[in-house]
Amino acid sequence: MDAKLRMGKLVVLKLGPGSFQQGFSVVLQLGWEGERPALELPGELPPAPDLPGLYQQWQAAYRQMRVPSRLEAQAQVTNVSWVSDCRESADMLCDRINHWLAQPSFQPIYSKLLEQLSPTETIRVVLQTQDPILQRLPWHQWDFFQRYPQAELALSAPVYEQVKAPETLSKTVRILAIFGDATGVDLETDRRLLQTLPGVELHLLTTPDRATLNHYLWEQQGWDILFFAGHSSSAGATGRMRLNAQDSLSLSELKYALTKAVKRGLAIAIFNSCDGLGLAQELADLHIPQILVMREPVPDRVAHEFLKGFLESFSRYTPLYLSVREARERLQGLENEFPCATWLPILCQNLAQQPPSWQSLQGRSLQATPKHQPWVGGALGVAIAATTLGLRLLGGLQSLELATYDRFLRWWPFFESPDSRIVVIKNTEDDIKQQGLDKTSAFSMTDDTLLAVLKKLEPLQPKVIGFDIYHDREIDSDLPELRERLETTPHFVALCKHPSDSAEMGGVAAIPDVDFSNRLGFSDFIDDTDSTARRFLVAIHRPPDSLCHTNHSFAAIIAGQYLNLIEANDSLTDVFWQNDQDQFQLAQVKFPQLNPRSGGYKLNDFGGYQLLLHYRHLPQVEDIAETYTVSELLRGDFEGEKIRDRIILIGTTALSFGGGDIEERDFWKTPYTTSERLEDMTPGVFIQAHIVSQLISAVEDGRPSITTWNEWIESGWIILWAAIGGGLGWYLTDTRFWLTLLSAEVGLLLISWSLLAVPALWVPYVPAVVTFTATAIAVSRYRYK
């Protein structure tokens, strides 16, 4: 079965016994092509006793125009004086039909159609009735067909029967074309149109006699299409076609030959002649699958234009019904000269048969055609996935992935509590002024202030004191007590800084002439190209020319001290790298290393042992810990119990300190920063507090670090979504496609966001959604264009 036809809908309207005086019973059947109806709904059409008269009025006006047609052989003269009458009667008839179909008794059926159908679906509407007036009404003028541009109507007899025909052995479409009496008409144009068709085996019979036609219909190989052009007419349920100047015959006179032709595969009969409904009724009794006729007398030019449009569309693999609609609607361009030309063509359907496609007439299924091969859809998906992976590998998606990562972090609706193990002592603008310093000073805390702070803190027994202020100058010679305290306080951690690049000579040294042993850590931060701190270093190979004599970070040393992992004479390598020299750990907790291609990163300048910074989600980044100013500490404006056994971090938060260059100031953008203003950025001491909290929380609370999949799993994830998108684009059409596409995108977003929020797993959302959406749309466009 044609896959594309299967994806369309079949609507059958069965108009049962009744009359225009009493009304008609109606039964709606609706379902997918090739399947049993999914629903059946009864309804009614109310009485409309004026409709037959309105139709006959229009028919009389149309025929009174006496446009040259293929109805009879005699010459005819066009009378344009009746053109306006024809148009007026046509408008009256159309208005009455739409009013009739809008009545309440028919509305349940119409509402069900609107509910079940989408304007982008391919829809076959089959009207099943025996009433001759109902068959002749211009149903295509119903508002329904304006709403559904891929729907087309066909007529069907109430009695039908499936005919089992053998599969065609020919690779061409076999057409038997009969050209009857050409008196007064141009049949040469019909001939040329047929002869230009691709992939056709055409047999022409020009003005044949009855015996010759009978012989060809009995042809052993069978025909796919029977075509007739010439004069024809209907009288009641009987149609006649004129073969030559002397002979005309009804189809009942060819009954046995036509029956044999149907059994040998005749799929379509086309009568490009006048008044063909009588011919269609006779052919329906022979169970021909599809019959295409003209309702009324048809002018030569209209016949040519319709045949041209239909053959062009159908031979380009457009479904049969849509080919009829396209060709019929193209006739509108002639209606200034030939009013109601679009009313003339009508398809008559044997409901037991599936409409053929041009491919099926050639012995090929739709999916086997170059336009709709599944492997092409698969190739589209592979190409899009490969392009996305290649772009990601080159770093083309990094900025977008990092921005999405930040947004995911900010979206989490639940706040964590501050870390009660940490207290931050802020060296503020006022504190610096009280020390007699200003923004031109080379340092932000005097030695006597530092000594006073230590004297205030030590009796309160903090667990660790982290001094997050550079002090690369000699200690004041008048304060020997400060040097002694720095050397003998086992829980005091100082910091230094490695050179950030080759242009920065030496970095920043620790406090000179003080042996800090295992109490010194580097303060180096790393930020991304958008100046945002999303990752941090726990260890680095010290550059040979660095004045900072440590391989481990300030935060790592503080965490090790707090967890009682570091003694004065311990080897830090043994403390942090006990079981695996390539795996950083605290106690028994191992921390996954960030590599140059983790998550959304594609880093070229990568060094040291880096981790993703898992900020605590708080109303403000600075809410990480209890805070006091230096002045408050020295005045004693705090409770001693809030210092005992805590980690004390001392850092400068003054905006003015650090000179004129904003890059020299210890303020940083985080994923929660939404502006470029310096005052909206976060002082470095609070970033250190988040890092310390992350390390000790992993050990004491089991709080996870942010991790990523390896590159192979990430690539598989992206390819998986490409496959899902390809499947969606191949199997779904219309509104269901777009709704499913949107739902899947929302689902992917929620999955990616939830994985980052709960198990702290950063999965590649951006490349997955790009690949999924692009593949779905590309395959859908290819599949259903």
Side-chain angles (χ1 to χ4, degrees):
M1 180 190 303
D2 269 6
K4 188 166 184 176
L5 291 176
R6 179 179 174 81
M7 296 307 297
K9 294 281 184 66
L10 173 62
V11 175
V12 180
L13 291 172
K14 297 184 176 184
L15 276 61
S19 66
F20 285 97
Q21 286 70 34
Q22 298 176 349
F24 295 89
S25 65
V26 184
V27 174
L28 165 67
Q29 289 184 339
L30 189 151
W32 290 102
E33 287 281 9
E35 297 180 359
R36 297 184 64 180
L39 66 86
E40 183 169 297
L41 179 68
E44 292 182 358
L45 277 170
D50 57 331
L51 260 179
L54 288 172
Y55 170 75
Q56 291 163 2
Q57 181 180 334
W58 169 80
Q59 186 183 51
Y62 177 81
R63 295 198 177 195
Q64 282 175 348
M65 290 189 301
R66 298 189 62 77
V67 292
S69 69
R70 299 182 175 188
L71 182 62
E72 297 293 347
Q74 70 268 21
Q76 301 175 18
V77 178
T78 302
N79 190 330
V80 296
S81 63
W82 285 304
V83 169
S84 61
D85 290 342
C86 179
R87 288 175 176 159
E88 288 177 8
S89 59
D91 290 341
M92 291 173 59
L93 179 58
C94 292
D95 289 344
R96 183 66 182 92
I97 289 173
N98 278 293
H99 178 73
W100 185 42
L101 296 174
Q103 293 303 302
S105 61
F106 189 69
Q107 280 309 293
I109 287 180
Y110 189 49
S111 299
K112 184 60 68 174
L113 291 174
L114 298 183
E115 173 190 315
Q116 295 290 323
L117 301 176
S118 165
T120 57
E121 286 179 317
T122 302
I123 305 166
R124 288 198 298 135
V125 181
V126 179
L127 184 70
Q128 195 174 12
T129 180
Q130 279 185 318
D131 188 283
I133 299 297
L134 287 175
Q135 290 177 345
R136 287 182 175 272
L137 290 179
W139 290 88
H140 64 278
Q141 293 293 321
W142 181 19
D143 291 340
F144 169 87
F145 290 99
Q146 316 313 313
R147 183 186 291 263
Y148 295 93
Q150 297 196 75
E152 179 63 352
L153 175 81
L155 301 175
S156 174
V159 178
Y160 52 87
E161 180 181 320
Q162 187 174 33
V163 177
K164 295 292 185 181
E167 293 187 6
T168 179
L169 300 178
S170 173
K171 298 302 181 183
T172 58
V173 179
R174 303 191 77 237
I175 300 177
L176 178 61
I178 305 164
F179 293 91
D181 181 16
T183 304
V185 295
D186 173 19
L187 302 185
E188 188 59 33
T189 300
D190 298 57
R191 186 193 308 270
R192 288 197 302 270
L193 290 171
L194 290 173
Q195 289 173 333
T196 58
L197 283 175
V200 164
E201 181 183 341
L202 180 64
H203 292 261
L204 301 175
L205 296 181
T206 304
T207 60
D209 56 28
R210 178 175 172 179
T212 302
L213 176 56
N214 187 74
H215 169 74
Y216 272 89
L217 288 173
W218 278 88
E219 171 70 39
Q220 290 295 321
Q221 287 187 341
W223 306 101
D224 299 308
I225 298 175
L226 174 66
F227 175 85
F228 174 79
H231 295 290
S232 66
S233 61
S234 296
T238 301
R240 299 191 68 84
M241 57 184 183
R242 186 178 294 278
L243 294 181
N244 51 57
Q246 293 78 33
D247 299 326
S248 67
L249 75 164
S250 68
L251 295 180
S252 61
E253 296 173 89
L254 294 171
K255 175 180 179 180
Y256 299 117
L258 286 170
T259 300
K260 180 59 71 173
V262 171
K263 290 182 177 179
R264 287 178 176 162
L266 180 62
I268 305 174
I270 303 174
F271 286 84
N272 204 23
S273 57
C274 289
D275 201 12
L277 279 177
L279 296 172
Q281 289 184 27
E282 287 194 81
L283 289 170
D285 294 337
L286 303 176
H287 309 300
I288 294 179
Q290 317 289 329
I291 307 164
L292 187 54
V293 298
M294 298 290 179
R295 284 188 176 96
E296 298 290 339
V298 56
D300 250 2
R301 189 173 168 194
V302 173
H304 296 154
E305 288 298 319
F306 176 76
L307 180 64
K308 177 183 178 183
F310 171 73
L311 293 177
E312 285 180 354
S313 184
F314 191 46
S315 63
R316 289 200 308 264
Y317 312 128
T318 303
L320 177 68
Y321 273 58
L322 289 186
S323 298
V324 173
R325 175 161 181 163
E326 288 179 8
R328 181 173 56 74
E329 290 180 340
R330 287 175 64 172
L331 297 178
Q332 191 174 39
L334 303 177
E335 288 193 336
N336 61 325
E337 186 177 352
F338 305 105
C340 301
T342 56
W343 292 27
L344 302 180
I346 184 67
L347 194 62
C348 300
Q349 166 80 56
N350 178 352
L351 260 178
Q353 305 288 137
Q354 282 287 336
S357 65
W358 192 258
Q359 298 93 324
S360 67
L361 296 180
Q362 295 174 317
R364 297 182 291 135
S365 70
L366 185 62
Q367 291 190 4
T369 68
K371 288 180 65 179
H372 301 94
Q373 296 187 52
W375 70 265
V376 178
L380 283 172
V382 170
I384 292 171
T387 301
T388 305
L389 289 171
L391 184 63
R392 188 172 192 251
L393 184 66
L394 296 173
L397 298 178
Q398 177 174 294
S399 59
L400 188 57
E401 288 197 72
L402 292 179
T404 305
Y405 170 83
D406 294 348
R407 190 169 294 275
F408 280 176
L409 292 177
R410 294 197 297 270
W411 277 352
W412 190 241
F414 306 111
F415 290 121
E416 296 179 83
S417 59
D419 196 325
S420 60
R421 294 164 294 204
I422 301 174
V423 174
V424 174
I425 306 299
K426 300 184 296 183
N427 189 30
T428 65
E429 203 88 52
D430 290 340
D431 295 323
I432 292 175
K433 289 179 181 178
Q434 289 179 20
Q435 297 171 54
L437 304 174
D438 57 32
K439 63 183 179 180
T440 62
S441 301
F443 49 91
S444 62
M445 181 175 285
T446 62
D447 287 351
D448 55 349
T449 301
L450 174 57
L451 178 59
V453 168
L454 293 178
K455 287 181 176 181
K456 196 72 174 182
L457 288 174
E458 286 179 3
L460 301 174
Q461 298 179 345
K463 195 73 174 286
V464 184
I465 299 174
F467 188 58
D468 186 27
I469 297 176
Y470 292 133
H471 192 303
D472 57 347
R473 65 189 184 282
E474 296 285 345
I475 295 176
D476 190 337
S477 58
D478 294 334
L479 297 172
E481 183 183 358
L482 175 59
R483 181 187 304 277
E484 180 182 354
R485 285 182 178 272
L486 292 175
E487 287 186 341
T488 58
T489 303
H491 49 267
F492 182 90
V493 179
L495 84 167
C496 56
K497 182 180 179 299
H498 294 297
S500 57
D501 52 45
S502 58
E504 183 181 348
M505 301 298 293
V508 180
I511 302 174
D513 301 325
V514 177
D515 181 13
F516 287 107
S517 185
N518 288 339
R519 297 179 294 119
L520 177 67
F522 62 76
S523 65
D524 298 61
F525 277 175
I526 46 177
D527 55 356
D528 295 323
T529 53
D530 59 354
S531 303
T532 301
R534 299 183 183 90
R535 47 199 170 102
F536 68 96
L537 287 162
V538 293
I540 194 172
H541 291 294
R542 183 168 64 89
D545 58 346
S546 176
L547 299 176
C548 182
H549 300 289
T550 181
N551 292 332
H552 293 89
S553 72
F554 179 67
I557 298 296
I558 290 174
Q561 292 275 6
Y562 179 83
L563 296 170
N564 298 317
L565 301 176
I566 303 175
E567 298 294 338
N569 297 319
D570 281 343
S571 166
L572 293 182
T573 299
D574 294 336
V575 171
F576 294 130
W577 313 86
Q578 290 177 353
N579 301 320
D580 187 340
Q581 293 299 309
D582 295 324
Q583 178 80 60
F584 177 82
Q585 67 179 48
L586 289 173
Q588 301 303 314
V589 177
K590 295 184 177 181
F591 292 84
Q593 182 180 14
L594 184 72
N595 64 58
R597 305 211 176 278
S598 292
Y601 280 110
K602 297 297 170 281
L603 302 169
N604 296 320
D605 52 344
F606 189 87
Y609 198 101
Q610 299 184 20
L611 304 179
L612 283 166
L613 209 168
H614 192 182
Y615 290 90
R616 280 183 178 258
H617 188 53
L618 301 160
Q620 300 291 330
V621 176
E622 297 178 20
D623 293 340
I624 178 66
E626 187 88 21
T627 61
Y628 301 98
T629 66
V630 170
S631 298
E632 289 172 337
L633 176 71
L634 296 179
R635 290 197 305 267
D637 294 344
F638 61 91
E639 298 178 15
E641 287 302 316
K642 291 189 175 181
I643 300 297
R644 192 178 310 277
D645 294 328
R646 304 297 200 275
I647 297 171
I648 309 301
L649 295 178
I650 305 169
T652 296
T653 61
L655 285 172
S656 63
F657 187 79
D661 190 348
I662 194 170
E663 294 183 356
E664 295 180 4
R665 302 177 186 178
D666 191 20
F667 285 81
W668 303 85
K669 287 173 61 179
T670 75
Y672 299 91
T673 305
T674 55
S675 82
E676 298 292 331
R677 300 190 311 165
L678 181 63
E679 54 265 34
D680 292 331
M681 298 183 189
T682 303
V685 66
F686 290 102
I687 305 291
Q688 294 285 12
H690 277 273
I691 298 173
V692 171
S693 176
Q694 175 177 337
L695 294 176
I696 61 178
S697 294
V699 177
E700 294 194 338
D701 307 329
R703 185 173 183 265
S705 297
I706 296 177
T707 59
T708 63
W709 286 324
N710 66 46
E711 287 188 80
W712 289 107
I713 297 177
E714 288 189 336
S715 298
W717 168 261
I718 295 168
I719 293 170
L720 171 65
W721 282 99
I724 295 172
L728 187 153
W730 188 264
Y731 290 108
L732 295 183
T733 60
D734 56 71
T735 304
R736 294 192 310 148
F737 167 77
W738 294 106
L739 288 177
T740 307
L741 179 68
L742 179 61
S743 299
E745 288 176 342
V746 172
L748 174 57
L749 184 145
L750 291 176
I751 291 170
S752 303
W753 172 60
S754 300
L755 287 175
L756 181 60
V758 180
L761 176 64
W762 181 16
V763 301
Y765 165 74
V766 170
V769 75
V770 167
T771 305
F772 167 73
T773 305
T775 304
I777 293 175
V779 171
S780 180
R781 290 290 181 90
Y782 161 75
R783 181 71 174 88
Y784 298 108
K785 65 182 178 179

